Amino acid sequence: MGDGESLEGCVWEALAFASHYNLDNLVAIFDVNRLDHSGTLPLEHCMDVYQKRCEAFGWNTFVADGRDVEALCQVFWQATQVKNKPTALIAKTFKGRSIPSVEDAENWHGKPMPQERADAIIKLIESQIETNINLEPKTPIEDAPEVNITNVGMTSPPSYRIGDVVATRKACGLALAKLGHEHDRVIVLDSDTKNSTFSEIFKKEHPKRFIECCIAEQNMVSVALGCSTHDRTIVFASTFAAFLTRAFDQIRIGAISKSNINLIGSHCGISIGENIPSQMALEGLAMFCTIPNCNVFYPSDAVSTEHAVFLAASTKGVCYIRTTRPETAVIYSQHESFAIGEAKVIRHSADDKVTVIGAGITLHEVLAAAKELSNQGVYIRVIDLFTVKPLDSTTIIANAKSTGGYIITVEDHHPEGGIRDAVCAAVSMEPDIQVCQLAVLGLPQDGQSSELLDMFGVSARHIVMAVKSILMN
């Protein structure tokens, strides 16, 4: 890595992680050339400071001349002799070494060399070559055993019954443990939240395939990306949904690299109740919906959560599963089938006047509102999205047209970038469809889950009011 890059906090998260796990087959090379993109770095060529920092993180550390091939080879050999410690090589280098007026000079980063100067420089470099031997590195030995991670399927249906009360975060932990029994290439990472995300269930049943990453979410995602390389493992990483915002850069780079990782964010929205507002994830849908080719699952009960886990395990690209803290009723039977991009119409009649769309905790508020409205002779159609991305536009448009063109979206999320925005995009070419949104406005607060849902306007009471308002107008 470059010395400028080494200022990133995620680098030191990785150094601490590697030291903790005694990764003695790992070598980190620091290219210390003292120059950044636009000037000089704070430490410049203070090699002893880099060395002391790495040693303080528990690394076996060497300092060498980065232009001395023999010295570098000696360090790499020494690294193979060290046990229970990773090795850091602090290599002193100079940008543009031996090139007149360029060596160790500022403002050359990323700039093309004029053609006439480039020709002269190439000749200068060629004149310094002291051998005619054509150096060709040996091809790495491919001695890893073949594995198959494509044969993922649910061999037995979920064990839940309609009416059971289970938090989707717990159902997710149970589903991961079940998946681990069905496929030995499944691994799970967590960032010190395993007793809240319930990934501890996986750890208990598959301890050798669980990786604790501590409170270092950027590094956790980076480790997940590394584990997914070469399609040798099925990787899940779980934490509070709010904490994944810290790792957005790693997530987007993972998508650009066409990596296959599955991320689970629990404790989303104000519905987490009595907890500090900073942990109420209200922007996660917006964040993940911007990731190219990302599948965004938002299951509403234990059965759909188990299906989300198994579908994510067998899907290429980045997958995100948004789970809920409070316990909610199971609404689907054991034999209900699910597919990515297919919503569920779970309540309908010929007399429906409005289509109301929910997901996760808000679906249960929608169902409560539908029951109250039906007692008053008002009927609504209820849709469970299951996946926010890809969105089931066909189902949404067809049902909206059947209910007078009226849609209400209800989400435990900020207004921007969530369910409403996805639905509006889907119906944007349909002139006779109107979308009304109920979402969390303003800054979250501490309180009881039901109180907060009502305070921020996404409870059954507010859904009833929104439906009546539409029908009155």
Side-chain angles (χ1 to χ4, degrees):
M1 75 193 78
D3 43 359
E5 182 185 8
S6 73
L7 295 174
E8 291 274 9
C10 59
V11 170
W12 300 95
E13 287 183 6
L15 289 173
F17 176 88
S19 174
H20 172 70
Y21 284 106
N22 303 319
L23 303 184
D24 55 16
N25 63 340
L26 175 65
V27 177
I29 304 171
F30 289 74
D31 178 7
V32 183
N33 58 51
R34 91 173 185 89
L35 296 177
D36 208 348
H37 291 199
S38 58
T40 58
L41 287 160
L43 292 179
E44 298 201 15
H45 274 140
C46 295
M47 311 302 285
D48 59 324
V49 176
Y50 286 101
Q51 181 177 10
K52 289 175 181 177
R53 287 180 177 180
C54 290
E55 289 174 344
F57 273 74
W59 283 58
N60 172 53
T61 308
F62 298 96
V63 176
D65 180 351
R67 301 287 295 181
D68 188 333
V69 175
E70 291 186 2
L72 295 175
C73 289
Q74 178 67 18
V75 168
F76 293 142
W77 179 85
Q78 288 176 306
T80 66
Q81 309 304 303
V82 176
K83 301 301 178 186
N84 300 318
K85 271 190 175 186
T87 294
L89 166 59
I90 314 299
K92 184 175 183 179
T93 62
F94 295 87
K95 282 188 178 181
R97 185 65 178 265
S98 301
I99 301 176
S101 303
V102 175
E103 178 180 335
D104 202 30
E106 297 181 25
N107 295 322
W108 276 104
H109 187 92
K111 295 182 179 179
M113 187 68 63
Q115 186 62 51
E116 63 276 8
R117 291 204 61 190
D119 293 339
I121 290 168
I122 291 171
K123 289 181 179 180
L124 175 63
I125 294 173
E126 289 176 341
S127 69
Q128 296 173 346
I129 298 174
E130 299 177 353
T131 179
N132 293 322
I133 299 175
N134 187 18
L135 300 175
E136 294 185 2
K138 294 181 180 179
T139 303
I141 299 173
E142 300 288 348
D143 57 353
E146 290 187 9
V147 298
N148 182 5
I149 62 170
T150 61
N151 55 338
V152 180
M154 190 182 292
T155 58
S156 61
S159 59
Y160 308 102
R161 304 287 182 181
I162 292 176
D164 288 349
V165 179
V166 185
T168 58
R169 60 177 174 135
K170 184 173 184 179
C172 193
L174 290 165
L176 289 173
K178 178 178 177 179
L179 178 63
H181 286 294
E182 297 194 9
H183 207 300
D184 63 3
R185 302 303 296 179
V186 175
I187 64 172
V188 173
L189 294 70
D190 203 292
S191 63
D192 195 33
T193 57
K194 56 185 176 291
N195 59 342
S196 295
T197 63
F198 287 96
S199 65
E200 64 181 3
I201 301 172
F202 184 94
K203 180 184 178 182
K204 181 179 179 180
E205 299 183 20
H206 314 284
K208 293 184 178 179
R209 289 188 273 145
F210 179 86
I211 304 173
E212 176 58 68
C213 296
C214 303
I215 304 175
E217 291 80 11
Q218 293 183 50
N219 185 62
M220 180 184 72
V221 174
S222 295
V223 173
L225 292 171
C227 291
S228 70
T229 304
H230 301 303
D231 293 327
R232 298 192 61 80
T233 59
I234 300 169
V235 187
F236 286 83
S238 62
T239 187
F240 286 11
F243 301 161
L244 285 172
T245 59
R246 303 168 182 169
F248 184 62
D249 187 38
Q250 283 75 15
I251 295 167
R252 58 179 286 275
I253 294 300
I256 291 171
S257 304
K258 299 182 179 179
S259 299
N260 302 314
I261 61 167
N262 306 296
L263 302 170
I264 300 166
S266 74
H267 291 63
C268 59
I270 55 172
S271 60
I272 70 174
E274 293 176 315
N275 217 320
I276 56 177
S278 64
Q279 295 180 2
M280 297 176 175
L282 290 160
E283 57 288 302
L285 294 178
M287 185 173 86
F288 278 96
C289 283
T290 64
I291 299 294
N293 303 315
C294 179
N295 296 286
V296 180
F297 296 86
Y298 197 177
S300 299
D301 78 342
V303 171
S304 56
T305 299
E306 188 166 317
H307 279 277
V309 168
F310 276 78
L311 286 168
S314 59
T315 301
K316 293 284 189 180
V318 177
C319 289
Y320 174 57
I321 303 175
R322 193 178 200 238
T323 64
T324 303
R325 184 190 191 191
E327 294 181 333
T328 52
V330 173
I331 59 176
Y332 294 109
S333 74
Q334 294 174 299
H335 303 291
E336 186 78 29
S337 61
F338 290 83
I340 294 174
E342 291 187 12
K344 297 286 185 181
V345 181
I346 59 176
R347 185 167 179 143
H348 62 91
S349 75
D351 298 321
D352 294 339
K353 302 301 182 183
V354 180
T355 293
V356 185
I357 300 172
I361 192 72
T362 62
L363 181 71
H364 297 271
E365 296 296 319
V366 174
L367 289 172
K371 184 177 181 180
E372 181 178 339
L373 286 165
S374 68
N375 292 335
Q376 302 173 28
V378 178
Y379 300 95
I380 63 173
R381 193 156 299 184
V382 179
I383 293 180
D384 177 14
L385 287 182
F386 183 57
T387 55
V388 180
K389 181 184 177 181
L391 192 75
D392 188 349
S393 302
T394 301
T395 295
I396 291 170
I397 292 171
N399 284 276
K401 288 182 176 180
S402 297
T403 56
Y406 298 116
I407 294 175
I408 299 174
T409 61
V410 191
E411 54 194 304
D412 192 1
H413 190 274
H414 282 314
E416 300 82 9
I419 293 173
R420 190 279 306 266
D421 283 6
V423 170
C424 283
V427 303
S428 60
M429 300 302 291
E430 304 292 335
D432 298 323
I433 294 179
Q434 301 178 44
V435 181
C436 170
Q437 180 191 40
L438 299 181
V440 179
L441 299 171
L443 297 175
Q445 300 179 31
D446 186 20
Q448 295 281 349
S449 178
S450 58
E451 293 174 351
L452 292 174
L453 289 172
D454 193 60
M455 180 189 300
F456 284 93
V458 291
S459 65
R461 183 174 71 89
H462 286 275
I463 297 167
V464 169
M465 292 169 57
V467 169
K468 289 183 177 180
S469 176
I470 287 175
L471 297 180
M472 287 176 60
N473 297 326

